[in-house]
Amino acid sequence: MKKKSSLRLSHIFLLLCLILAGAGAYVLMHDMTGPVLNLVPENPERLGPTQPLELTLSDESGLRSVQVTVRKNGKSMTVLRRDFPPEIHDAKLNFDLSETRLPDGEFELEIRAWDTAFAGFGSGNSTTLSLPVRMDTQPPRIAVRTVPPAIRRGGCAVIVYTINKDVAETGVRSDDLFFPAYKQADGSWACLFAFPHQKTTANYYPEIMARDDAGNITSSRLLINAIGRNFTSDTLPISENFLNQKAQELARLCPEKQNASTLEQYICVNNGERLRDDAKLLELGQKSNPSFLWSGKFQHLPRSAVKANFGDSRTYTSGGKKIDHQVHTGLDLASVARAEVPAANAGRVIFAEELGIYGNIVVIDHGLGLMTLYSHLSEFRVKPGDEVKGGQIIGTTGTTGLAAGDHVHFGVLVSGVPVQPLEWLDAKWVQNNITSRMKK
């Protein structure tokens, strides 16, 4: 009996040892991989000293530390060192190489991170990312080829220039507005840009800029002849009858004012929804065909009367009191109810749906950031992606959105910024200011 008991105890002891050994092996061996590293930009061939770098790290066991080092000619320098507190599994770090003062040329960028696993008897797993990179501290050089004769407030112009190296971004900037340039077949860059109507000659300072892949930026004042222009003022009474007609539309576009009066809902829509709609148009305007798609003369709704002009300063009243103020950014054209609306010129439809205060709207891209819009339509006869010819019918006039009567709001946009349509309806202006400048 004693032998059997001793034998049983031996087996139990051996089993416990195997269990403990397996548990220990699991603890030590179950996580044998280091942290996952991702660098943005990924695998950069060139970097500038101020190029923003974003490093993301993740590990299921937890992050212990990370170190970023640069090496050149046998010398190394720590750019970033971070030790993480316990229970941190994900992290995002931003850094640049401005403090390294590296000269132009080849160097190695090494990123090494450790986790909190018990692998290596407590030292953790590590992951190393080593990248051969070239330091580039030279900003792009811009040489202007053609400049516009002038640009008027609310209007636009084109500039053509060359750059001595490949760039990630270039164009004309005016405060928070950016007008992208597009590379042409001959290697030059062409940029259609606006003198926004809300600016004046006293505060309009456009800059031409270029940023290369290494993050180096060139930016300088664009010296052009900016000419002022005055716009008319108008007063628009908002009647009770109009508010009742638009009651459902106002409630839908301003849900936060469901229990408010229709007048309060109108003010909400005319401000907040207008801003959201214009932000959408600005977003659409940032991507365009790199060359012009149009040719010949631009046209508008035939046999129509102009009911409102571009740049009109509108004061809205109710009961004789001012309730709002906005600027009209197109031409309101009216002829007969449900008149057929032609495309102003050849291009590609990029938007055709309902958009807030504009109602049913079509936006056509004509290339180089130039777009035309047609709003308050009663029906669509085109869809996004359609290639259209000048004069092709794209819809019919209507009263959708905040339109008080049947008409089409015809607008011209440059990279999403409204500009004076009359310029583009003037064939002589187009020849002198756009097409002749593109050919030089």
Side-chain angles (χ1 to χ4, degrees):
M1 291 291 293
K2 287 184 179 181
K3 287 185 178 179
K4 289 183 178 180
S5 179
S6 297
L7 185 61
R8 186 177 300 133
L9 288 173
S10 296
H11 288 166
I12 292 173
F13 178 75
L14 180 61
L15 181 60
L16 288 173
C17 289
L18 290 173
I19 292 173
L20 290 173
Y26 175 78
V27 170
L28 291 173
M29 304 292 288
H30 87 284
D31 182 3
M32 297 295 291
T33 59
V36 176
L37 307 179
N38 287 293
L39 183 67
V40 178
E42 184 180 5
N43 298 321
E45 296 181 358
R46 298 185 303 151
L47 286 175
T50 59
Q51 169 78 359
L53 298 169
E54 182 181 272
L55 175 64
T56 56
L57 310 93
S58 62
D59 190 274
E60 62 178 14
S61 297
L63 298 169
R64 184 190 301 273
S65 61
V66 63
Q67 180 169 306
V68 179
T69 306
V70 295
R71 293 190 172 88
K72 183 179 178 70
N73 299 330
K75 297 180 180 180
S76 62
M77 177 181 177
T78 300
V79 176
L80 174 70
R81 170 78 192 191
R82 183 69 57 86
D83 295 318
F84 299 101
E87 305 302 321
I88 298 295
H89 297 273
D90 301 277
K92 180 181 292 184
L93 303 173
N94 295 287
F95 64 99
D96 60 36
L97 306 179
S98 56
E99 294 186 3
T100 64
R101 301 184 182 280
L102 286 172
D104 285 3
E106 306 288 341
F107 72 97
E108 180 186 15
L109 178 67
E110 181 186 271
I111 303 171
R112 190 175 185 189
W114 293 263
D115 64 16
T116 57
F118 284 97
F121 297 97
S123 62
N125 304 298
S126 68
T127 300
T128 301
L129 181 63
S130 184
L131 302 170
V133 189
R134 183 175 186 83
M135 175 59 71
D136 181 358
T137 65
Q138 304 303 310
R141 293 197 301 273
I142 298 173
V144 176
R145 180 184 293 177
T146 62
V147 294
I151 184 170
R152 295 179 68 89
R153 182 185 175 203
C156 60
V158 69
I159 185 171
V160 180
Y161 56 96
T162 58
I163 307 176
N164 70 322
K165 62 194 306 188
D166 292 335
V167 294
E169 180 184 54
T170 183
V172 172
R173 190 178 300 281
S174 176
D175 293 333
D176 58 339
L177 296 175
F178 182 65
F179 304 91
Y182 296 87
K183 197 168 188 177
Q184 303 302 292
D186 63 356
S188 66
W189 293 83
C191 179
L192 196 62
F193 64 98
F195 182 168
H197 65 82
Q198 62 268 33
K199 294 286 186 180
T200 67
T201 54
N203 61 13
Y204 176 56
Y205 303 112
E207 294 185 343
I208 186 170
M209 63 79 62
R211 175 177 59 84
D212 65 20
D213 293 333
N216 300 301
I217 298 176
T218 290
S219 181
S220 61
R221 176 86 174 273
L222 187 57
L223 299 177
I224 56 174
N225 181 22
I227 302 173
R229 174 190 277 148
N230 294 323
F231 298 107
T232 60
S233 298
D234 195 9
T235 299
L236 292 182
I238 303 302
S239 69
E240 194 67 29
N241 183 50
F242 171 76
L243 293 175
N244 291 335
Q245 288 179 1
K246 298 294 180 179
Q248 279 189 314
E249 190 83 352
L250 295 173
R252 180 179 67 84
L253 293 175
C254 190
E256 62 267 33
K257 295 280 188 180
Q258 286 289 344
N259 299 321
S261 67
T262 52
L263 179 60
E264 290 175 301
Q265 290 175 339
Y266 175 81
I267 296 171
C268 166
V269 172
N270 208 36
N271 283 269
E273 182 60 33
R274 183 184 296 272
L275 292 175
R276 288 187 287 271
D277 297 344
D278 290 346
K280 177 62 178 179
L281 294 175
L282 198 62
E283 175 191 336
L284 289 173
Q286 296 301 299
K287 294 182 180 179
S288 180
N289 195 76
S291 59
F292 282 138
L293 299 171
W294 58 272
S295 62
K297 186 179 180 180
F298 282 76
Q299 58 183 296
H300 61 71
L301 184 68
R303 298 176 295 282
S304 61
V306 177
K307 298 299 184 179
N309 288 290
F310 175 87
D312 282 356
S313 179
R314 287 179 163 181
T315 298
Y316 299 83
T317 64
S318 177
K321 296 181 180 180
K322 177 182 175 181
I323 59 170
D324 199 6
H325 179 271
Q326 300 291 340
V327 175
H328 192 242
T329 55
L331 295 178
D332 283 352
L333 304 171
S335 60
V336 297
R338 295 183 177 268
E340 292 186 329
V341 178
N345 214 315
R348 181 174 62 87
V349 177
I350 60 170
F351 192 84
E353 60 183 86
E354 188 272 336
L355 183 65
I357 65 169
Y358 293 99
N360 294 333
I361 181 175
V362 170
V363 179
I364 299 176
D365 176 29
H366 301 285
L368 235 66
L370 176 66
M371 299 176 183
T372 51
L373 69 83
Y374 315 77
S375 67
H376 308 311
L377 301 178
S378 56
E379 68 169 313
F380 297 112
R381 294 192 185 175
V382 290
K383 62 184 182 303
D386 285 354
E387 303 287 338
V388 296
K389 298 178 180 179
Q392 179 178 332
I393 303 304
I394 60 159
T396 53
T397 61
T399 59
T400 56
L402 291 190
D406 188 289
H407 72 283
V408 62
H409 172 93
F410 173 64
V412 177
L413 307 173
V414 169
S415 296
V417 177
V419 296
Q420 174 62 268
L422 293 178
E423 290 184 340
W424 290 90
L425 295 173
D426 182 347
K428 185 176 180 181
W429 180 89
V430 173
Q431 168 62 28
N432 293 340
N433 292 270
I434 305 299
T435 53
S436 63
R437 304 286 155 178
M438 292 289 293
K439 295 175 181 178
K440 290 184 178 181

